[in-house]
Amino acid sequence: EEGEIEIFPGENTFIWAHGLSNVLGYHSARDVVQLNLSSGSSEKVVAANKSAWLAHGVMAFLAWGVFVPFAVQSSLLRDLLPKGPIWFQLHRGFNSLAYVFFIVIFSIAVAFTVKEGGSHFTNPHQRMGLAMFIMAFFQVGGGWLRPHVPDDGEEKSLLRKVWEIGHRVVGVTLLACGFWQMQEGVALYANKYGVSASGQEKLSIAYWVWIGVMSALIVLGGGYFKLKKMPNN
């Protein structure tokens, strides 16, 4: 049939997988094996480009799981930092570093998808990555071209107020999308390279513990200092 992968008497590549129950989900174990149907010999096949996709994942975690949360925290928890512009320098520095990493991450994904003969932006992870890349471009550009901060005693302009709201909304959206995107990436990597279900589960637990801590610092810490600055407090 058209598009059929032919099986030869000699060496053939097979993919095997099995689950632990009848519940729909990722297979608990999977791998690739090369089997010679003439001699009966077999050997495990190492999937291609593993280092590139691992680098993609590690850099994504650093960008969206470390640098961006630190950037948000440096703004919301600025009262814990020395007086002066240091909070802004940290905020801008972490965000800029995350954006540089994101460009590299996106480039790796596009380049190795082409190399592997895959399709672009066909699954949720790919489409979310593209949407985030576009949002991040405008977020960073808006940060550099932001309306000026009013001087002491000067009222904020309408443009400044609108920009601040938009900057926060897009920032929170990007951060939430980044958290989801990384978890999806872990599942895709595990499925592609035969990571065991227990190994994937341990990594997911560690990931969400870290994300929980980062989120708590942002929500609880930021909320505390906002309340503290209210007139009645």
Side-chain angles (χ1 to χ4, degrees):
E1 297 180 6
E2 184 179 353
E4 183 180 40
I5 299 175
E6 188 175 355
I7 296 178
F8 299 97
E11 291 187 345
N12 294 267
T13 301
F14 294 90
I15 300 174
W16 63 264
H18 67 77
L20 294 177
S21 69
N22 293 326
V23 178
L24 183 65
Y26 283 113
H27 294 100
S28 59
R30 54 259 168 181
D31 215 330
V32 181
V33 63
Q34 194 169 69
L35 177 64
N36 190 310
L37 297 179
S38 296
S39 65
S41 63
S42 65
E43 62 180 88
K44 182 177 178 180
V45 177
V46 178
N49 307 317
K50 186 175 183 179
S51 297
W53 290 114
L54 181 61
H56 173 85
V58 171
M59 292 183 70
F61 173 74
L62 290 174
W64 295 104
V66 179
F67 299 149
V68 173
F70 282 2
V72 176
Q73 291 161 12
S74 65
S75 176
L76 294 177
L77 309 180
R78 68 185 71 175
D79 290 347
L80 297 176
L81 297 171
K83 297 291 183 181
I86 186 170
W87 76 266
F88 177 71
Q89 293 168 354
L90 289 171
H91 181 75
R92 181 175 59 186
F94 280 127
N95 275 328
S96 298
L97 192 57
Y99 187 58
V100 170
F101 269 48
F102 195 23
I103 292 173
V104 176
I105 293 161
F106 192 83
S107 300
I108 289 173
V110 171
F112 281 89
T113 297
V114 171
K115 185 176 180 180
E116 294 175 359
S119 300
H120 292 293
F121 314 122
T122 55
N123 64 43
H125 185 77
Q126 292 175 330
R127 289 194 290 268
M128 178 64 80
L130 178 61
M132 289 178 62
F133 193 77
I134 294 170
M135 285 192 290
F137 173 80
F138 285 105
Q139 180 76 339
V140 172
W144 284 103
L145 301 175
R146 65 193 178 281
H148 81 282
V149 179
D151 298 325
D152 292 337
E154 182 183 353
E155 187 178 351
K156 290 181 182 178
S157 66
L158 177 61
L159 186 60
R160 176 74 191 189
K161 291 178 181 178
V162 171
W163 176 85
E164 288 183 357
I165 294 171
H167 188 70
R168 289 166 184 159
V169 169
V170 176
V172 170
T173 302
L174 275 169
L175 190 58
C177 290
F179 290 167
W180 178 88
Q181 182 77 334
M182 286 184 284
Q183 176 62 23
E184 282 295 296
V186 169
L188 288 171
Y189 182 88
N191 191 48
K192 184 179 180 71
Y193 293 107
V195 177
S196 67
S198 60
Q200 182 182 346
E201 184 179 6
K202 290 175 183 177
L203 181 59
S204 294
I205 290 172
Y207 167 73
W208 283 114
V209 167
W210 172 262
I211 294 304
V213 172
M214 292 294 99
S215 300
L217 287 172
I218 290 170
V219 175
L220 299 179
Y224 169 77
F225 285 107
K226 286 288 184 184
L227 289 172
K228 189 177 179 182
K229 290 179 180 178
M230 293 178 68
N232 295 333
N233 295 314

